[in-house]
Amino acid sequence: MTKSSYHQLIQIYKAETIEALATLTHSWQKLQNKSLPDLQNKNLDEFEPWEALTARFARTTDIFLSKYIRLRVADADPAFRGEMRDLLDKAEKISLISSADQWMQIRELRNKIAHEYHKEDLIKTFSDILKLTPFVMSELKDPAF
């Protein structure tokens, strides 16, 4: 892949991240003054905005890490090969992210959302997303990311 191709793809992935972040921010703002849904009640209207937030959190963080950061690291170090933890450590080292540990926690939550969506963990998942979304928004608000 040529440098020009890398830079074109980086701009595409950056735009996708910004678009996904806008929808995540919208969902997060809607739920700021809401209490977590009642699992016993099972009111679908009550769960819908929480599930939208969950999906948008997973999508935003996945695009940012799996596409944008992966390509930025490959652009900076074409010989880089590694798993997600290695990728995050490298991204922190070259100042693409502020905390590999925090992003690893976010990635683990994203994986939990994608693969282990247990009803028993639903409220904890919603709560974790509420706590981590401000970090994601602050990391991605800078147009230079």
Side-chain angles (χ1 to χ4, degrees):
M1 186 176 288
T2 66
K3 276 284 190 192
S4 176
S5 298
Y6 268 113
H7 292 284
Q8 287 175 336
L9 269 178
I10 286 169
Q11 291 309 310
I12 290 168
Y13 294 155
K14 182 176 182 176
E16 287 180 9
T17 301
I18 291 168
E19 185 177 322
L21 178 64
T23 62
L24 172 63
T25 301
H26 177 78
S27 286
W28 186 78
Q29 288 172 340
K30 283 176 66 173
L31 293 170
Q32 279 307 282
N33 297 318
K34 305 270 183 181
S35 54
L36 293 168
D38 179 6
L39 283 177
Q40 304 306 319
N41 187 3
K42 297 182 181 156
N43 179 335
L44 294 179
D45 288 332
E46 187 179 350
F47 273 90
E48 190 172 2
W50 291 96
E51 290 176 341
L53 175 68
T54 301
R56 290 169 177 182
F57 179 88
R59 184 176 192 290
T60 302
T61 59
D62 196 43
I63 292 168
F64 179 68
L65 295 176
S66 295
K67 290 183 174 183
Y68 181 77
I69 290 297
R70 188 167 299 281
L71 195 59
R72 288 286 310 268
V73 168
D75 186 39
D77 181 0
F80 176 82
R81 300 290 178 266
E83 298 298 320
M84 183 57 69
R85 183 64 214 203
D86 302 319
L87 177 72
L88 294 173
D89 287 340
K90 182 72 169 182
E92 181 180 3
K93 185 177 180 180
I94 61 175
S95 300
L96 296 175
I97 58 174
S98 67
S99 170
D101 291 337
Q102 190 77 26
W103 278 104
M104 194 66 209
Q105 182 182 3
I106 289 165
R107 182 60 176 199
E108 288 167 357
L109 179 56
R110 179 258 172 219
N111 288 344
K112 179 181 172 186
I113 291 165
H115 303 293
E116 302 173 22
Y117 207 74
H118 297 296
K119 199 184 261 186
E120 306 82 44
D121 297 333
L122 203 52
I123 298 302
K124 169 98 172 82
T125 299
F126 291 157
S127 179
D128 289 346
I129 291 168
L130 278 179
K131 286 182 214 163
L132 292 170
T133 297
F135 175 80
V136 171
M137 291 186 313
S138 71
E139 287 278 287
L140 303 183
K141 74 175 180 178
D142 182 1
F145 78 81

